[in-house]
Amino acid sequence: MEVPGKQKPKKTFSVSRGSAEDFLLFCIPCDRDGARVPAKGYCSTCKEHLCDTCYKHHKKQTPSRHHILLDQDSMPTTPSVPIVKDEFDSCDDHGDEKLKFYCNDHDIFVCSVCVTLDHRLCNVEYIPKLSKHILDSEELNEIMAEMKALEDNYYSQIKRVKDEIKAISQNHDDVIKAIRQFRKEINIRLEEMEKHVVKEADNMLLKQQTKLNSISTDVQEITDKLAKRQKRLDNLIHRKCLDKLFVEMKETKKGVEEMRMKQKQYSREEVFQTVSFVKNSDIVDMLDRHKQLGELITKKASMGENVPVMKPTSTPSEDKTLNLEVVEDIDLNSSSGNTKCNITGIEVIKPDNIVVCDCSGNKNVKCYDIVQKKIVSEIKLDNSPFDVAAITDDKFVVTVPGDRSIHFMSLRNQRIVSDRKVNINEECYGIAYSQDKLVVSCNYNPGKVLVLDLQGKILQNFSGDNSLFCLPFYITVNTAGTSIYVSDCGLL
């Protein structure tokens, strides 16, 4: 809408090609052929500037001989824009009819037949009439400005994406560097532990070698003495020196008795001992429990933010407090239920769905969509479900104490589907999932916690005569899979 007393600003369109030989006024016919020639005249009929050659030919050619021509002194001083004859598209419904009309009511282009048949009561306008002042229209200015703003925003977006890619790559390099640094630290510590136990083995070897070498030396000396006495006795016997033989025999007898005592002493000494290496059970258990060096903690980063370095989250400081605010109450009673629902288990699956166990007389599992704000699916069981745990974004498990089983379920197209049932022969209540294993609490004679694989095979049973638990109900596992937390309502 125009305001009286004010003139609408004119939009200036540039027809220059930006070369070094540009002229403010140039010949339009030559420009169509790719040449930029300065204008020397103007045709008022064609509304085009002409060079000296085209100006002369314009006077001689039959079609333009009677056109009104202006010389260089009289021609307009503003650039002329080449007039291109518009060609309208053909109507899909009416053959060769052209789409020369615009229906304001339906925001579509129509032909004359369409107007007659389908748009007689609509606000229809002739396009050539509408387009006369399109170059100066506010709507064109607005859409051009909007497109320019969009273009600038997308260029900024592209730059941010490139920066994000670079930041992600740097972040990845930092994470790999941290992982390998940790591995180096572990290797150094393991080398120190290895050196300690190897040194201990070396000391044990040296101790035994020293003792055995000492025995070997003593035995060799005794053997040499025996050989010498044997030689003297043989010589005296041969020479028949009976007196000396008698004396030597008595002395040898005493020496032999001493040698026999030492021999018994050496035979009683247990010098040689075998050594074996026993693995550190704490290290073995740690390696069995942990499948990787650590975990990667991520933080969502919107476009334009720096990508955070992946590292374990720190413990919140004591001065930070959490404020809880009730957003809304969700009614999980369904029209198909006979009694008011009693929720004993709840789990989030996918981004916008909540699965709950209704342990009342309804005996069903329900899925509530927090976006649609309604129950989108429910499945009825023979016995009451108690607790639920997510395995993936669309798969979960439900405990049913009444039939001593665990039900594996999926959410497909917002519909709960029962995949299979695994019998446990235990009244299962609380359930949690961690690292391809299920952890289940059973609170009957005696209370226990079971660790199972996804086929239902019991891998570990934490129970015994002196039970760790009285009445364990709910259960959860930390993200590393190293700690199990159990609520025991039987403990005072």
Side-chain angles (χ1 to χ4, degrees):
M1 180 181 295
E2 296 186 8
V3 180
K6 293 186 177 181
Q7 290 186 347
K8 188 183 298 183
K10 299 290 184 179
K11 184 173 180 66
T12 302
F13 292 90
S14 173
V15 293
S16 173
R17 295 186 180 178
S19 68
E21 297 178 354
D22 281 349
F23 301 96
L24 181 61
L25 302 176
F26 55 87
C27 178
I28 298 301
C30 291
D31 182 67
R32 294 193 189 103
D33 294 332
R36 185 59 59 91
V37 182
K40 299 298 182 179
Y42 181 79
C43 176
S44 298
T45 307
C46 297
K47 300 189 181 303
E48 291 181 347
H49 283 87
L50 305 171
C51 66
D52 190 45
T53 302
C54 291
Y55 188 86
K56 293 176 180 177
H57 286 307
H58 217 67
K59 293 180 178 179
K60 298 178 180 179
Q61 293 177 355
T62 302
S64 57
R65 187 166 51 194
H66 300 294
H67 287 191
I68 301 174
L69 298 176
L70 302 176
D71 58 17
Q72 189 172 5
D73 296 332
S74 304
M75 69 180 184
T77 57
T78 57
S80 58
V81 179
I83 299 176
V84 180
K85 185 177 181 182
D86 290 334
E87 293 185 3
F88 292 98
D89 293 335
S90 298
C91 179
D92 293 335
D93 297 329
H94 304 109
D96 295 334
E97 292 292 329
K98 302 297 183 181
L99 299 174
K100 296 183 178 181
F101 299 89
Y102 173 72
C103 177
N104 289 279
D105 294 345
H106 296 92
D107 191 23
I108 58 173
F109 301 105
V110 293
C111 69
S112 57
V113 179
C114 291
V115 174
T116 304
L117 296 178
D118 302 319
H119 299 271
R120 285 178 296 176
L121 302 179
C122 298
N123 180 15
V124 178
E125 297 184 77
Y126 187 47
I127 293 176
K129 181 180 179 181
L130 287 174
S131 65
K132 283 184 178 179
H133 304 290
I134 186 69
L135 295 178
D136 297 326
S137 70
E138 185 176 347
E139 183 179 3
L140 178 61
N141 291 336
E142 289 177 353
I143 191 64
M144 294 294 289
E146 184 177 353
M147 289 176 64
K148 182 64 170 63
L150 279 173
E151 183 183 28
D152 293 342
N153 288 338
Y154 274 110
Y155 278 125
S156 299
Q157 198 83 341
I158 291 172
K159 183 180 182 302
R160 283 198 296 270
V161 168
K162 290 180 178 179
D163 292 340
E164 296 279 349
I165 292 173
K166 187 183 296 183
I168 289 171
S169 178
Q170 181 61 49
N171 173 233
H172 173 269
D173 293 343
D174 293 341
V175 170
I176 299 301
K177 183 179 179 181
I179 293 171
R180 289 176 177 163
Q181 177 61 33
F182 183 46
R183 172 62 186 274
K184 287 181 180 178
E185 294 172 2
I186 293 175
N187 288 343
I188 292 172
R189 185 71 183 106
L190 289 175
E191 288 175 0
E192 292 174 354
M193 297 169 70
E194 179 186 356
K195 287 179 181 178
H196 177 77
V197 72
V198 168
K199 183 179 180 180
E200 185 178 355
D202 291 342
N203 290 336
M204 294 175 68
L205 173 64
L206 180 61
K207 183 178 180 180
Q208 291 193 74
Q209 286 178 337
T210 302
K211 184 65 176 177
L212 289 172
N213 288 334
S214 176
I215 293 174
S216 177
T217 301
D218 291 346
V219 170
Q220 186 63 48
E221 290 178 357
I222 293 171
T223 303
D224 292 344
K225 288 180 180 179
L226 280 171
K228 288 179 181 180
R229 286 189 177 274
Q230 182 67 41
K231 186 177 181 180
R232 285 200 297 270
L233 287 172
D234 289 341
N235 185 37
L236 291 173
I237 291 171
H238 179 70
R239 291 167 54 197
K240 295 183 180 181
C241 299
L242 301 179
D243 295 338
K244 288 186 177 181
L245 177 62
F246 177 80
V247 175
E248 187 68 28
M249 179 188 69
K250 291 297 184 179
E251 291 179 354
T252 299
K253 187 176 180 180
K254 293 179 182 179
V256 168
E257 187 64 27
E258 291 177 1
M259 293 177 187
R260 187 180 291 112
M261 294 297 293
K262 284 190 175 183
Q263 189 180 56
K264 289 182 179 180
Q265 179 184 347
Y266 291 148
S267 64
R268 287 196 299 267
E269 288 187 6
E270 296 180 357
V271 178
F272 174 69
Q273 296 176 337
T274 60
V275 179
S276 60
F277 174 69
V278 179
K279 298 177 182 178
N280 187 317
S281 60
D282 292 336
I283 295 177
V284 173
D285 291 342
M286 183 270 292
L287 292 175
D288 289 340
R289 289 197 309 270
H290 300 285
K291 304 302 181 184
Q292 56 187 32
L293 289 178
E295 59 180 331
L296 301 178
I297 307 299
T298 61
K299 174 188 173 185
K300 288 185 178 179
S302 60
M303 296 296 289
E305 293 182 357
N306 293 326
V307 178
V309 176
M310 298 180 184
K311 59 183 179 180
T313 54
S314 58
T315 305
S317 59
E318 295 181 356
D319 59 343
K320 292 184 178 179
T321 57
L322 292 175
N323 297 319
L324 298 181
E325 178 183 357
V326 177
V327 178
E328 63 175 319
D329 292 328
I330 298 175
D331 185 5
L332 292 171
N333 290 296
S334 57
S335 57
S336 61
N338 298 321
T339 60
K340 189 174 182 180
C341 68
N342 179 25
I343 304 302
T344 54
I346 185 169
E347 181 70 289
V348 176
I349 61 172
K350 294 189 175 181
D352 303 320
N353 293 291
I354 299 173
V355 173
V356 298
C357 293
D358 185 352
C359 195
S360 65
N362 298 321
K363 301 177 183 178
N364 57 18
V365 179
K366 303 174 182 178
C367 178
Y368 182 87
D369 190 299
I370 61 176
V371 176
Q372 302 182 50
K373 298 186 181 300
K374 67 177 183 178
I375 297 172
V376 293
S377 179
E378 56 184 302
I379 184 171
K380 189 171 181 62
L381 305 178
D382 295 333
N383 291 282
S384 296
F386 184 82
D387 198 12
V388 58
I391 296 179
T392 65
D393 283 345
D394 57 359
K395 294 183 182 296
F396 55 95
V397 287
V398 174
T399 57
V400 183
D403 60 12
R404 299 188 172 195
S405 66
I406 297 175
H407 291 245
F408 288 75
M409 299 182 176
S410 302
L411 186 65
R412 303 174 190 168
N413 298 322
Q414 290 199 322
R415 178 172 171 267
I416 299 176
V417 178
S418 179
D419 295 330
R420 58 191 171 97
K421 181 175 78 170
V422 175
N423 294 320
I424 306 300
N425 296 323
E426 295 281 357
E427 291 187 3
C428 305
Y429 286 87
I431 189 168
Y433 170 79
S434 176
Q435 299 181 355
D436 294 330
K437 296 181 180 65
L438 298 176
V439 185
V440 183
S441 65
C442 308
N443 63 15
Y444 180 73
N445 195 26
K448 60 180 72 71
V449 168
L450 304 178
V451 179
L452 309 95
D453 61 19
L454 296 182
Q455 282 68 46
K457 180 182 178 181
I458 297 177
L459 304 177
Q460 288 179 285
N461 183 344
F462 298 101
S463 177
D465 296 333
N466 297 322
S467 178
L468 296 171
F469 314 102
C470 292
L471 291 174
F473 268 97
Y474 291 101
I475 191 166
T476 189
V477 182
N478 67 344
T479 54
T482 58
S483 300
I484 300 173
Y485 301 89
V486 182
S487 67
D488 196 335
C489 65
L491 294 177
L492 297 177

